[in-house]
Structures are given as C-alpha cells and as structure tokens.
Amino acid sequence: MSHPTDDTDGVTLPAAELSSGLSRREVLGLVGAGAAGAVVGAGAAAMAGAALGGGAAQSPDLSYPFYGAHQAGILTPVQDQLHFASFDLTRTANRGAVIELLREWTDAAARLTRGRDVTQAGAVGGPPLAPPDDTGDALDLGPSGLTITFGFGPTLFHDAQGTDRLGIGGRRPAEFEELPLFAFDLIDRASSGGDLCIQACANDPQVAVHAIRNLSRIAFGTARIRWTQLGFGRTSSTTTGQLTPRNLFGFKDGTANIMSENRDAVLEHVWVPETHPQAWLRGGSYLVGRKIQMLIESWDRVSLHEQEHIIGRSKGEGAPLSGGREATTPDFERVSADGEVAIPVDAHVRLAHPVSNAGARMLRRGYNYVNGNNDLGQLDAGLFFLAYQAEPETFITVQRSLARDTLNEYIRHVGSSIWAVPPGAREGEFVGQALFSE
Amino acid sequence: MHKKFPALLAVAAAGGLLLSGCVPNPTATSQSLAVSSTETDCVVEANTATSGTLTFTVKNDGHRISEFYILAENGLSIVGEVENIAPGGTRDLTVVAQPGSYFTVCKPGMIGAGVGQAAFTVTGETVAVSADEQEAVNAAVASYVGYVKTQTSELLPAVEEFAAAYVAGDDGKARALFPIVRINYERIEPTAEQFGDLDPAIDYRKPGAEAEGLEFTGFHRIEMDLWIDEARLNYPDEQIDALDTAARTVLADKLVADVTELNDLVHDASFVLTLSDITNGAIGLLDEVAAPDGKLPGEENEFAHTDLYDFYANVEGAEVAYSTVRDIAASRGEAGAALVAELDTQFAAMKSLLETYGDYASGFVFYDTVGQDERNELGAQLNALSEPLSQLTHTVLGVASD
C-alpha cells in the first residue's frame, strides 16, 4: 500500500527534458564519471533511467558514489532489489570494536558500490591456502547501482537494560525512541528493531545479497544478524524519471512521493536540519522500517469497486477517485453523482495525505516481499515499507491517522523499526564518525 | 447435502408487516392455522400444511409481549415472523408456503432462544411465486434483518447468565458457557462491526486493544481472567493478576451493557441493511476466520482455545446470509446456477469437516490440540468456500435475472 504523501509540486529537474539529446552512452558516461554529490548523482541516474525506458534494463555498470554529504540509497533512484539487515551487538562488543566495525564497513561499502571485491585481495587474489576475503558471488556482475546505507537503532545508545555500552548515551536525540504501538499492529519482536542496520539496494538481487553477506562476515565478533529482509519490485519511485510501480495489492504505489529533484521538499522533509541539537545527525535522516503483511487471499476476494474505494484511487490508471489522471491532486471535497463523497472518508489516500496530517511528508522507498508461505499455506507476502524523514514524528502522525483506514482489514504491521541514519562520510572518514568523536 | 431454506415466501402480516411488502394473492388453497403463544410453549393447530397461501393466527396467551417465527430447516434462517403481539392480542402471519421442512417457535418477552420450537412440514406442489425482482430483494433483506434481531435477542440473556456466573465466582460454569455464549455473536459479527465502538468493546483481543490504546474489555478480557494460567503462559513478561469480585463486576456489567446496546440498536427502526451488506457480510465472516488474528491460526480465543466454536458460528452466519439470497443467485442464468451448486457443495464440505472436531452440544476439541496438517486442511477448505462466495455479490447485484 502506498502511504502517499501526494506531491504535485512543480518538479525542479524534469528528467525527460534533461535527457533529451543525450545518447544512452552519454548518459551512462555521465553516471560513470561519478557526478559529484548525491543529489547530482541521483539526477544523473534518473536521466539514465529515463533514457533506458523507465529502468527496465539498467546497466550493470551503473554506479553511485558512496562518499558525499548525505548517504546514498536515500535520494538515489530506487533500485529494483533490496536486502536489508538488522544487527545486534554481541555481548563482548565495546566502543573500540564498534568504531573498528564502522571503519571496516565504510571501506568495504566504498569498494562494493564501485563493483569491486570487498578487499584488495578479494575473491581470487589471496593466498591459495586461505579462504578468500570476498565470497565471490558477485564477480562479473558490476556495481548494478548498489547503494549501502547504514543506520543506528535506539538500542545502540541504551540497551534493553538501559546501559550505555558505548559511551554515546548522551548523544541520543531526545526524539529518538522506539516507535509506539499503532492500531492493528501485530508486531513480532524477532523481525523488529536492532542496534545497527544496513540497507543494500541494487538492480541485481545477487549484488545486494553479496553486499549483506560480506558485510555480515566483517561483523562477526562485534555484531550478529538479528533479522534480514529481501525485497523486490520497488514500491515507490524517488525521481520523476521512474514509472510508478505497483504493490502486491495491484495498486500503483508512491504516486505522490517526495522526488529527489524537488530540493525544497527534500530539505524540509528528509534531512535532519543544521539546527538539530545533535551535531552528528545533521544532514542525516530517520528511517522507519515496517514489515506490513498483506492478507493476500482475503484481499483477492474484494470486488474491484471496493478495492478502489479502500485505496481511493482507480486500479488501472491510479487516478484519484475524484477524477483526473494519476498525477492529479485528489479533490477530497468532490461529491460524486450518487451524492457520496468521491473519495471515501476512510480511504487510504485521504488519511495518508499531507492535508490530513498537518503537511507531514516522507520519502518512501519500500519494496514488495514474499517470504514463502506460512504454516497455514497462506502467502507470506506484503510490503517492506521504508521511509526517510527529518523527524520520527512525521511517520507517527501519519500512522496514527491511518487508524481509521479501511485498508487495515487487509494488512497487519508485523515488523517495526526506527533508525537514525547519520550523514554521509567524506573519503578517509567512516560513517557515523561524528557520533564517536571525543 | 444441500438444504433449501427460504422456500416459504412470507407475504404479509396484518397489523405488522413482515418480510416483503407484497400482498398475498388469495387462492382456493388458502389455509389458516391457529397458534397459541404462552410463557412456556408455542402450540400450532397442526404440524403440517399443504403448499400455498397460509395464515398463522397467533394469539398471545402469555403475560409478556410475544413473537412468532417460522424458521427454515437449518433452524437459523427466518422464513417469516410476527412481532409485538400484546398479551391477550392476536396477529396474523401470512406466507406463501412451499413444500419443505420448517420449524415454528414463539418468543415471549422477545428475548432468548424462544419456547415450544416444533417441526412443521409443508407438503404438496411447488407454488409459483411472483417473479418481481424488488419483492425478492425485499424479502431477502427482511429475512436477514430478522435473523440478526433473533441472534442479538438470544445473545443478551446468554451473556447475562455468563456474566452472573463469572461475578459469582462460578468459574467452571463461566468457562463452560464462554464458547456457547459467543455463538450468536460470531454469527453476525459484521453487523456489530458497523456500530463503531461496540465491537471493539465486546470482542477485541488483548493485542488489538493495546495497539489502539483502548481499555481491554469484553469477552476476551473475561476469557483472560478465566484462563489465567494460559494467559500467564502467553504473556510471560507481564504481571497478570486475578481479578477480584469488584473488578469482575465492572467487566461483567460493561459486557452486558454493551450487548444490551447492540440488541437495542438492531431492534431500532433505523436499523437497515442492503443486499450487498448481506453478501459482503458473508465473505467478511470467513475473512474473520482466516485472518492472522482469527480462528484459523488459533489467535481468536488465545487463552480458552475454543476457536472451533467461533469458526463454526462464522460459517453458519455466512451460510444464513447466503441462503437468504440463494434463490436470487440461482435465478441469474447458468453462472448463477453453477455458483449456487458450488456454494451448496462447499458449505456442506466446510461444515462436515468442522463436525469431525465436534459440535456445540457435545463440544468441539480445543484448538491447541489441532495439529498443523489439520489446520492446513481446514484452511484449504475455507479457501475453497471463500473463493466462490466472493462472487456472490456480483452474481446477485451485477447479473440480470433469467
């Protein structure tokens, strides 16, 4: 399902216009040249996507810079595949070990996102009697648009017993707490939370899995995997060059997402501002992860008319039921011919819309998932919702508004996490360095 | 084996309109039967009749206001009813009786399961009835509204008895009553859900109430107290204290008050349903079973493990909703006939599979004893039933009749 924050603002960088006149080779060359800065990189990639026809055939050579003012994997045009991992610190991990882990992760991520092996020796360059540094399963696959994004959980600052293991408790932002329970939540602690997280996105699933596998290997002794989630079929777009994808309910999702080209919206709603009392988080963001199980079998028995009235949009075009086309701003006042309000009062699009939430907007970056089936033979499938926002309150406001959503009958939130995502690292630094500065 | 329900088409009751508003077309076969409703019995002049127009003249020989019902062979679907018969008064119920097996029952005081329920048989030839579309729809809706009223009026005294046993500390009795009392509610739960806050107050599960920040009340709060050892196992990190008499009284009074309000609301003149409320309600009842917090995963009654009672009641409620519109669906061409045949088969298969685990009278097995393979088999049969049932609204409302 979308958690739409409808945006019909003017777009600052119409990708289609920019890409006109550029050949495919020129576009890829521009990307390959490593456009400076994440925002510019995102724009260039959007152009690549547009030039390639909506990202249907992304080049394996597509690469996004790892270093920059902000971490990649946020404004970056959403890749097709996800492997997300949550880690807990081991019992023996201390401040020095965590700093060392972040340093190693940063170096490895910078290499992996360039399509290189995890170390110089890599998969086949090491001594024959030693196991290879790199697992080798991504050899020859290229960077495939890989981004690796790191985040810190509230429990990194104070563990379950309230202990400040790493001496960073004083730097925990006041607003940074575990998310509250919401209506219809059915949260499984085993797929929620964690001390550290890594979001790996790529256009080739094996590249994303390779990244998490090798980064997990580096973590042995300091952090262990708490839970992971594979995702496919991005459920939102973050640049105007991308087509709006569909979720597993068959509806277009993310029609009104914050687009990376809309710099004003990004500045206001995505990045933690320069005025934030915790200097280490300025230019970072808050990532909310929600594993939303879809009751697939029940949903598939709902009539088309009802499906559209639950969502508030048409299923084919994705247009609001108040009329127009996909990009048309919903008219919540409009009354249809039968005297009923065109978009029902409990429709998803209405309750999630910024006008219903004091202007709250977030950048959504979620993926569909299918984890096989449950014990009852029902498809274990849904949406792995990921959203970046400048403050946790944004998600909380919108999710509370959704308590009346008729869609709740067909979904259950089963995983819940929030992460503080530090700003990007410059070359020579490690991600989160400012948090651990003396 | 399918049982055909609404073969009797109710027509009109003098002084109190029942079911459809159509006017009987008196024929030579018109028959009249006297009924005496007392405080303890419901005496019908004869227990058989010949098909055709049939008038029950119901005299209230008791001292409370009474009602008279004709029920279908399943004992649940309402074929005809006459309400508000004052003590000493007489009212008529006129129906076009089709051949089949029925029940007659009176309900003095308009509450509870009724008295003097007896078999009633109609013999003879099938009677041609009006093909008027609107009449058929009105009759179907009126029949289902009558069913909902019956369920809540049976629910209330049952809940009162359950609440009294709980407050009195008769935990054995309260535990025995718990799954039985819930049957009437589970049959019509989508109706209760349309009254906003009532369903949460009556039937919310512990995690649902906590997630919404609501006070945890109703059946499942009492269940948690009655099966407190199970509750402590399910929530090992929580301090769950046994409730004293005062706390029990608060919970019991609230449940009775909420069910009383529900009963009042469905008996209010403003209570209306549409045909699609009924057909969508049928699939909604089965969704209640399949949901991750429903009966199939054993989450509904997580302490008592009496989920199979609720499961069976949900299926019964869906079947009554279906039977209400079955004749309309059957009139919708080949597709309608095929759907009805399929639903007859699948309802029967669902119920017979559930009946391998017990019944209301002798009890269903506790759901925590039902293994994963068996749960899968129940789930597969539920899908086999739910999938065609999801076509019912379209068939009834979206396809022209023959």
Side-chain angles (χ1 to χ4, degrees):
Chain A
M1 66 256 49
S2 59
H3 283 245
T5 43
D6 281 54
D7 172 26
T8 50
D9 294 349
V11 167
T12 49
L13 280 177
E17 266 173 50
L18 276 183
S19 62
S20 62
L22 289 179
S23 71
R24 178 173 180 272
R25 179 184 297 269
E26 284 167 324
V27 170
L28 293 175
L30 188 56
V31 175
V39 173
V40 176
M47 289 154 52
L52 293 170
Q58 298 281 10
S59 165
D61 299 326
L62 180 63
S63 170
Y64 298 107
F66 176 76
Y67 295 107
H70 308 292
Q71 289 198 64
I74 302 173
L75 298 187
T76 311
V78 187
Q79 302 94 325
D80 291 335
Q81 307 289 336
L82 167 81
H83 195 185
F84 192 99
S86 163
F87 296 83
D88 279 341
L89 298 185
T90 58
R91 207 160 51 86
T92 55
N94 57 24
R95 181 184 173 97
V98 171
I99 289 172
E100 186 53 32
L101 173 62
L102 290 172
R103 195 185 303 280
E104 287 188 50
W105 270 359
T106 300
D107 293 344
R111 294 185 59 87
L112 292 169
T113 53
R114 284 198 287 261
R116 297 178 185 166
D117 286 359
V118 71
T119 65
Q120 181 82 37
V124 292
L129 293 184
D133 284 356
D134 188 289
T135 53
D137 40 320
L139 282 174
D140 316 322
L141 292 181
S144 295
L146 175 69
T147 57
I148 295 170
T149 315
F150 298 96
F152 303 143
T155 49
L156 189 70
F157 298 81
H158 297 101
D159 66 13
Q161 284 72 44
T163 308
D164 175 11
R165 292 166 291 180
L166 307 178
I168 55 174
R171 292 187 174 176
R172 173 174 170 159
E175 71 276 14
F176 187 36
E177 293 181 33
E178 300 288 359
L179 290 171
L181 271 178
F182 299 97
F184 302 99
D185 274 5
L186 207 62
I187 301 301
D188 175 11
R189 298 319 310 177
S191 54
S192 302
D195 296 334
L196 298 162
C197 79
I198 304 175
Q199 170 197 283
C201 300
N203 292 316
D204 184 321
Q206 190 144 329
V207 169
V209 169
H210 172 260
I212 293 296
R213 177 177 173 186
N214 282 272
L215 294 169
S216 304
R217 202 175 167 210
I218 291 171
F220 288 142
T222 304
R224 59 186 165 83
I225 285 183
R226 177 178 170 89
W227 54 270
T228 68
Q229 181 62 55
L230 285 170
F232 66 93
R234 59 185 173 84
T235 60
S236 48
S237 52
T238 55
T239 64
T240 51
Q242 291 183 304
L243 295 176
T244 310
R246 290 181 189 270
N247 60 32
L248 294 182
F249 281 156
F251 277 78
K252 288 187 182 177
D253 212 331
T255 290
N257 208 8
I258 292 177
M259 295 292 153
S260 56
E261 299 92 334
N262 188 343
R263 289 175 196 187
D264 289 346
V266 167
L267 269 179
E268 181 181 353
H269 298 290
V270 178
W271 303 130
V272 173
E274 290 305 310
T275 53
H276 193 279
Q278 292 297 341
W280 67 268
L281 189 55
R282 294 171 191 162
S285 191
Y286 282 105
L287 168 61
V288 167
R290 302 279 288 184
K291 185 176 167 188
I292 305 172
Q293 181 185 347
M294 292 176 165
L295 312 191
I296 298 285
E297 291 80 6
S298 293
W299 174 263
D300 292 344
R301 292 174 192 136
V302 177
S303 73
L304 177 64
H305 174 89
E306 193 177 341
Q307 287 186 7
E308 292 183 331
H309 282 73
I310 288 170
I311 301 294
R313 290 184 179 277
S314 69
K315 193 164 189 177
E317 159 76 17
L321 295 185
S322 51
R325 304 199 50 90
E326 184 194 344
T328 308
T329 302
D331 177 359
F332 295 118
E333 307 300 319
R334 187 183 179 97
V335 175
S336 57
D338 61 3
E340 298 281 325
V341 63
I343 298 174
V345 293
D346 48 9
H348 182 73
V349 68
R350 178 187 292 267
L351 297 172
H353 196 275
V355 303
S356 305
N357 297 287
R361 299 182 62 189
M362 49 193 133
L363 185 147
R364 286 163 291 144
R365 223 176 179 288
Y367 289 82
N368 298 319
Y369 75 83
V370 175
N371 293 345
N373 56 279
N374 68 15
D375 290 343
L376 293 166
Q378 298 162 327
L379 214 52
D380 182 1
L383 170 67
F384 189 65
F385 172 91
L386 293 171
Y388 289 88
Q389 52 257 296
E391 48 183 1
E393 195 56 34
T394 303
F395 174 80
I396 293 169
T397 299
V398 174
Q399 192 56 33
R400 289 216 166 109
S401 166
L402 292 176
R404 293 186 294 124
D405 191 346
T406 31
L407 190 55
N408 290 327
E409 225 174 291
Y410 301 97
I411 58 175
R412 296 290 184 281
H413 287 239
V414 295
S416 178
S417 310
I418 184 165
W419 314 94
V421 174
R426 287 190 292 266
E427 260 190 280
E429 291 179 346
F430 63 89
V431 172
Q433 186 162 333
L435 173 59
F436 292 92
S437 64
E438 297 299 330
Chain B
M1 183 55 215
H2 167 61
K3 297 162 183 169
K4 191 170 166 74
F5 306 133
L8 262 166
L9 238 195
V11 186
L17 194 63
L18 294 176
L19 297 188
S20 76
C22 57
V23 178
N25 184 17
T27 65
T29 59
S30 184
Q31 308 154 80
S32 183
L33 289 172
V35 180
S36 168
S37 170
T38 69
E39 289 301 309
T40 56
D41 207 352
C42 188
V43 182
V44 183
E45 184 181 350
N47 61 8
T48 61
T50 310
S51 58
T53 303
L54 188 55
T55 300
F56 293 86
T57 301
V58 187
K59 181 163 191 295
N60 185 353
D61 293 318
H63 53 76
R64 290 180 296 169
I65 296 174
S66 190
E67 299 170 339
F68 173 72
Y69 291 86
I70 303 168
L71 304 177
E73 190 178 5
N74 64 357
L76 294 173
S77 303
I78 292 168
V79 175
E81 60 166 331
V82 56
E83 299 173 311
N84 287 319
I85 313 166
T90 300
R91 298 185 79 171
D92 287 349
L93 169 63
T94 301
V95 296
V96 176
Q98 300 287 5
S101 299
Y102 305 90
F103 292 100
T104 54
V105 63
C106 296
K107 196 173 284 187
M110 302 187 295
I111 209 81
V115 298
Q117 179 163 326
F120 186 84
T121 305
V122 175
T123 57
E125 299 297 312
T126 300
V127 183
V129 294
S130 164
D132 184 87
E133 179 76 19
Q134 195 56 46
E135 276 180 20
V137 169
N138 290 348
V141 170
S143 169
Y144 191 75
V145 167
Y147 171 72
V148 171
K149 290 178 180 175
T150 303
Q151 294 305 311
T152 63
S153 65
E154 290 179 12
L155 175 67
L156 181 53
V159 164
E160 286 169 338
E161 185 185 6
F162 168 68
Y166 174 60
V167 169
D170 189 348
D171 287 10
K173 182 180 177 186
R175 277 196 284 260
L177 286 175
F178 174 77
I180 301 299
V181 169
R182 291 176 52 75
I183 293 168
N184 298 111
Y185 190 79
E186 289 294 325
R187 284 173 177 162
I188 56 157
E189 190 168 356
T191 301
E193 285 172 354
Q194 76 184 50
F195 297 119
D197 298 339
L198 267 184
D199 180 61
I202 294 172
D203 199 37
Y204 249 31
R205 300 173 55 254
K206 175 175 156 66
E210 286 170 359
E212 287 200 47
L214 298 173
E215 191 190 349
F216 181 32
T217 61
F219 280 122
H220 296 301
R221 179 63 189 89
I222 295 176
E223 178 199 358
M224 184 166 89
D225 195 39
L226 286 171
W227 280 270
I228 196 163
D229 292 342
E230 285 289 313
R232 287 167 174 157
L233 281 175
N234 284 11
Y235 298 94
D237 299 336
E238 294 184 26
Q239 171 78 27
I240 297 175
D241 295 320
L243 300 184
D244 61 16
T245 303
R248 285 185 167 204
T249 304
V250 170
L251 275 180
D253 287 354
K254 174 152 178 59
L255 180 60
V256 170
D258 289 335
V259 170
T260 301
E261 188 184 350
L262 174 66
N263 187 46
D264 290 347
L265 283 167
V266 304
H267 281 84
D268 191 273
S270 64
F271 176 64
V272 289
L273 292 171
T274 65
L275 208 56
S276 60
D277 287 338
I278 298 169
T279 52
N280 289 328
I283 193 72
L285 278 162
L286 299 191
D287 285 347
E288 301 265 356
V289 180
D293 31 20
K295 292 86 184 176
L296 194 59
E299 291 293 330
E300 174 79 27
N301 302 304
E302 60 172 325
F303 314 116
H305 304 301
T306 52
D307 304 86
L308 286 170
Y309 294 78
D310 296 38
F311 194 155
Y312 199 82
N314 283 155
V315 172
E316 282 184 321
E319 187 175 28
V320 168
Y322 160 61
S323 72
T324 302
V325 300
R326 184 183 179 280
D327 286 353
I328 300 175
S331 73
R332 300 298 198 247
E334 283 180 23
L339 179 65
V340 165
E342 174 70 7
L343 284 172
D344 289 348
T345 302
Q346 297 299 347
F347 267 115
M350 184 79 253
K351 288 171 74 174
S352 66
L353 177 60
L354 282 166
E355 284 157 8
T356 63
Y357 296 95
D359 55 48
Y360 295 145
S362 51
F364 283 97
V365 302
F366 291 111
Y367 201 60
D368 55 347
T369 68
V370 177
Q372 195 59 54
D373 283 350
E374 296 161 300
R375 293 182 183 198
N376 279 349
E377 192 182 18
L378 287 164
Q381 178 56 52
L382 187 67
N383 275 334
L385 171 60
S386 299
E387 202 64 29
L389 191 61
S390 70
Q391 300 293 329
L392 188 60
T393 300
H394 164 70
T395 301
V396 168
L397 294 177
V399 179
S401 58
D402 292 340

